[in-house]
């Protein structure tokens, strides 16, 4: 058996060792590999593991022995799932390994900006000390209003941390989650996004990227926010109109942003749509690593190997995601 794992910059020693221990011949490929080079690499592979690298129809069609595609992560936007379905090749992700972890990351970004940690630590590093002048005033989470755009598992974890943990008021906008489910999670359901945004001191995005949610937070939505409000995004970069976000921050129309995801990754200090935000003390640019903890990576490696072994053994692969694109599959799949 042969396997290819793309995006080797994301170190997964447990996955690599586990596959090799099963006698699998494993090739690891770098992020950003050209499509033609990837096509050559998968020509005789049985299993394809990916995280960020696009798996196009051309790549899938160039792999006649391919038995399955495993996304060692959550989002499957980079995989041409219809092309895999046409070939009867199962596609699976690992959706549950970092739900609590990413919520913690979102909360960390929010509280860091509320307490002005980037600004104050930078000033202390530069000057050795700062005095408690108005310029350095932070904000409390307690008593503030947090608006969640998306109230799935990660959003509800964020609600628990901020609501039960810090006594914030939690509002939630998610047409796919009913009021009773939100209420049970300590969230007040908002039926109109713009109305909710006008109320919030903090906004945190926790929804999937699809045709309906792409650019969900755009110029009009940012204009609804308080000038004192902070926005957090740990989901997908394209959920926000990034040009509009940069404009809003540079113009002072919102107070700051904590970002872990971008429509174009990796970031770059110049020539990137978000380059103008580097060095601003009201912005945290995190390199898509809110998922990256020892505990989460252990869960990721264990679940990824379990899915790989199901495919290599010829068993139905377990799909735990409720993403409709994955749920549309009929061949070689066991839904859990």
């Amino acid at each position: 058996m042969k396997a290819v794992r793309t995006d080797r910059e994301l170190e997964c020693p447990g996955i690599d060792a586990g596959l090799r221990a099963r006698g699998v011949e494993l090739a690891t490929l770098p992020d950003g590999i050209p499509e033609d080079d990837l096509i050559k690499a998968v020509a005789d592979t049985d299993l394809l593991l990916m995280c960020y690298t696009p798996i196009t129809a051309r790549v899938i069609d160039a792999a006649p022995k391919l038995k399955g595609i495993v996304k060692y992560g959550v989002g499957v936007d980079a995989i041409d799932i219809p092309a895999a379905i046409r070939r009867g090749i199962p596609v699976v992700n690992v959706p549950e390994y970092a739900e609590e972890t990413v919520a913690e990351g979102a909360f960390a970004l929010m509280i860091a900006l509320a307490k002005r940690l980037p600004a104050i630590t930078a000033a202390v590093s530069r000057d050795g000390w700062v005095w408690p002048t108005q310029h350095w005033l932070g904000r409390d989470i307690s008593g503030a209003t947090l608006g969640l755009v998306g109230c799935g598992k990660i959003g509800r974890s964020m609600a628990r941390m901020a609501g039960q943990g810090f006594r914030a008021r939690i509002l939630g906008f998610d047409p796919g989650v009913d009021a009773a489910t939100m209420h049970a999670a300590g969230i007040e359901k908002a039926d109109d996004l713009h109305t909710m945004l006008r109320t919030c001191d903090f906004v945190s995005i926790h929804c999937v990227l699809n045709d309906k949610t792409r650019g969900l937070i755009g110029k009009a939505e940012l204009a609804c926010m308080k000038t004192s409000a902070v926005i957090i995004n740990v989901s997908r970069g394209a959920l926000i109109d990034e040009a509009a976000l940069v404009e809003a921050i540079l113009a002072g129309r919102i107070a700051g942003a904590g970002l872990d995801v971008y429509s174009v990754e990796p970031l770059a200090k110049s020539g990137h749509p978000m380059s103008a935000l580097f060095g601003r003390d009201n912005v945290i640019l995190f390199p898509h690593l809110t998922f990256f903890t020892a505990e989460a990576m252990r869960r990721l490696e264990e679940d990824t190997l379990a899915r790989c072994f199901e495919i290599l053994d010829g068993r139905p692969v377990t799909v735990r995601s409720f993403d409709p694109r994955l749920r549309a599959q009929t061949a070689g799949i066991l839904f859990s």
Side-chain angles (χ1 to χ4, degrees), residues 7-324:
D7 311 294
R8 66 183 175 213
E9 290 79 2
L10 175 51
E11 297 178 354
C12 297
I15 294 174
D16 298 346
L19 288 170
R20 287 170 174 143
R22 283 284 301 261
V24 175
E25 181 182 331
L26 175 65
T28 60
L29 305 177
D31 175 64
I33 184 172
E35 183 184 42
D36 288 343
D37 292 345
L38 180 56
I39 284 172
K40 294 175 184 176
V42 302
D44 60 349
T45 196
D46 300 279
L47 178 66
L48 178 56
L49 295 84
M50 61 77 66
C51 190
Y52 309 119
T53 297
I55 306 302
T56 63
R58 285 187 67 219
V59 172
I60 293 168
D61 291 341
K65 294 176 60 182
L66 191 60
K67 296 177 174 62
I69 301 170
V70 179
K71 163 64 185 273
Y72 55 103
V74 181
V76 292
D77 306 304
I79 304 172
D80 191 328
I81 296 175
I85 290 174
R86 288 194 296 271
R87 287 273 314 276
I89 297 168
V91 178
V92 65
N93 66 346
V94 182
E96 299 171 340
Y97 78 99
E99 291 167 348
E100 222 29 36
T101 305
V102 171
E104 287 183 6
F107 191 85
L109 292 172
M110 182 176 74
I111 198 168
L113 288 166
K115 304 306 179 185
R116 303 211 56 204
L117 298 186
I120 293 172
T121 55
V124 171
S125 294
R126 183 183 65 246
D127 302 327
W129 193 251
V130 298
W131 293 100
T133 61
Q134 294 292 307
H135 179 73
W136 303 112
L137 272 176
R139 303 183 61 190
D140 288 344
I141 304 297
S142 176
T145 298
L146 167 63
L148 301 173
V149 182
C151 297
K153 291 182 179 179
I154 297 176
R156 293 198 291 271
S157 291
M158 181 74 164
R160 187 192 72 248
M161 294 172 194
Q164 296 179 28
F166 282 72
R167 294 184 296 159
R169 179 191 181 198
I170 313 298
L171 306 179
F173 175 78
D174 191 329
V177 179
D178 60 61
T181 300
M182 288 197 191
H183 179 74
I187 304 169
E188 301 173 41
K189 184 174 175 64
D191 294 317
D192 181 76
L193 177 59
H194 286 195
T195 300
M196 184 186 83
L197 292 174
R198 292 188 183 99
T199 307
C200 297
D201 301 296
F202 303 95
V203 175
S204 192
I205 303 174
H206 300 282
C207 53
V208 298
L209 177 64
N210 55 38
D211 290 340
K212 292 182 179 179
T213 61
R214 187 177 299 275
L216 179 64
I217 304 298
K219 189 171 185 177
E221 289 71 30
L222 292 164
C224 290
M225 294 174 60
K226 300 176 181 179
T227 56
S228 58
V230 166
I231 191 166
I232 306 297
N233 187 14
V234 296
S235 295
R236 289 291 180 268
L239 294 167
I240 298 179
D241 179 337
E242 292 174 327
L245 176 62
V246 170
E247 182 183 355
I249 290 173
L250 295 183
R253 288 196 290 273
I254 63 172
L259 307 173
D260 184 46
V261 288
Y262 313 91
S263 60
V264 178
E265 296 182 2
L267 286 174
K269 286 195 170 184
S270 62
H272 188 280
M274 309 296 280
S275 295
L277 298 185
F278 274 93
R280 298 189 64 84
D281 64 15
N282 62 338
V283 176
I284 298 176
L285 301 175
F286 211 63
H288 203 152
L289 286 183
T290 53
F291 73 94
F292 197 58
T293 66
E295 296 82 1
M297 290 304 293
R298 182 170 62 249
R299 292 189 292 268
L300 175 65
E301 291 185 331
E302 290 172 353
D303 286 355
T304 297
L305 282 176
R307 305 291 79 79
C308 290
F309 294 159
E310 288 171 344
I311 292 168
L312 293 174
D313 291 344
R315 293 178 281 143
V317 64
T318 304
V319 173
R320 293 198 174 100
S321 172
F322 288 94
D323 189 309

